[in-house]
Amino acid sequence: MGVMDPADPQARAAAMIDALAEADAAERRFLRARWLSSRRPAPTDLFVAAASDGAPLAGFALGERKIGPFAIREIAGGYWPFRGVPVAAATPISDLADALARDSKRLGRIWRLGPAIAGDPALELLRSAAERAGWHAIERPLGQLYELDLAALAEDEPWPSTKTQRKNRWRKRRLEEDGGPIRIEFFTGADWTTAQRDAMGAIEAASWVGKLEDGGDTKFLDPEIRAYWESLCADPVLAAMICGSVMWIGDVPAAFAFGIDTGDVRYCIANNFDERFTQFGPGRVLLYDDFARAAEMGTRRISWGVGDAGYKGEMGAQPGEQLVDLLFVRGSLWRRLLKPLWVRSA
């Protein structure tokens, strides 16, 4: 996070949030202060809920969100893999509930946490503590996650299978006949170049997503969102987690994959390809190479988000946990008013 002023309360909170994230479960260690606070609009408040003896229990980065005429506070950070709160291990529900009650004015009468992965032990702890402290959690579903269990797939036979490897070699030959030699560049956030980011933006612009009327969900074509991913690299811990690859066909950037490695899990954040090469599937070819390399480096599971079950299933992905959105509401009147609106808006 760079040099911090110890007299700055927000800097002290950021340092404590980083410490909580480092001690959290491996798949949640990306929930560091820079991840939580770099997204624009920036959070209005960074703070740590602490036990009565001052021990940090949970780290919060709060921004604001409009829901109809209401302005509420919400947990900040990138949309995917998920939004979350780093929580100290083995925290008793009663201690966290007391800490949340003491910080109730900072959280407000209504606050949001989502998307989040249903069943996450840290989420369930936070939810139970918040309900004990006086909030009621209203849940709405956002979809089912897909996961690629690389360890399980490789138990009985090689992954990709011999048949798939043969098909991919054929695809690469066809792509090279169309555009020139294939080159794949792998990177982390520590050595991610401007040229690679420019190439990823160009791929998005030439993809079906980039051609949507509203601009689509692009990560590197949109300057503001690209700046968020770039800013994460200022934290060396996050920079080491960021991973990706770019496939070039001749001099043309043709496909990319981008994600975060934390523990033995890779969260696949984005992948895309230039539509001119659609016939021979450069995006799929690259993903096979990218995931196979990840497996060699110790990744056991790819968490792939919701949607697009077709090609994910063909590669071996299976349905996993549900992605949910939680609205924490204090007071029975507010709960009755907001519950139908919140659930319907999903």
Side-chain angles (χ1 to χ4, degrees), residues 260-338:
I260 287 181
D261 284 333
T262 177
D264 62 2
V265 177
R266 170 169 295 185
Y267 294 105
C268 188
I269 291 173
N271 54 275
N272 219 322
F273 63 92
D274 185 326
E275 275 201 308
R276 81 186 79 177
F277 301 110
T278 298
Q279 183 177 1
F280 300 114
R284 188 171 306 194
V285 169
L286 177 62
L287 282 177
Y288 272 114
D289 282 3
D290 191 78
F291 292 170
R293 185 173 185 268
E296 291 173 359
M297 297 174 68
T299 297
R300 297 178 60 84
R301 176 166 60 93
I302 304 290
S303 186
W304 216 340
V306 299
D308 297 320
Y311 82 97
K312 294 176 183 177
E314 288 175 18
M315 293 182 69
Q318 298 291 323
E321 299 284 359
Q322 291 285 333
L323 203 64
V324 297
D325 212 350
L326 298 175
L327 194 66
F328 291 88
V329 181
R330 184 185 286 273
S332 57
L333 175 61
W334 284 109
R335 182 176 64 192
R336 289 197 301 272
L337 287 172
L338 290 174

Side-chain angles (χ1 to χ4, degrees), residues 25-72:
E27 63 270 19
R28 294 170 47 85
R29 288 178 187 157
F30 68 91
L31 293 172
R32 295 173 60 81
R34 185 167 287 274
W35 175 278
L36 298 173
S37 62
S38 291
R39 197 68 184 244
R40 296 293 183 266
T44 57
D45 193 15
L46 276 178
F47 75 94
V48 172
S52 56
D53 63 359
L57 301 178
F60 290 81
L62 296 173
E64 288 196 352
R65 178 183 181 85
K66 282 274 194 179
I67 299 180
F70 304 104
I72 67 167

Side-chain angles (χ1 to χ4, degrees), residues 222-239:
D222 183 309
E224 186 174 327
I225 297 176
R226 171 173 162 167
Y228 168 69
W229 297 113
E230 291 173 337
S231 73
L232 299 184
C233 298
D235 179 341
V237 177
L238 284 173

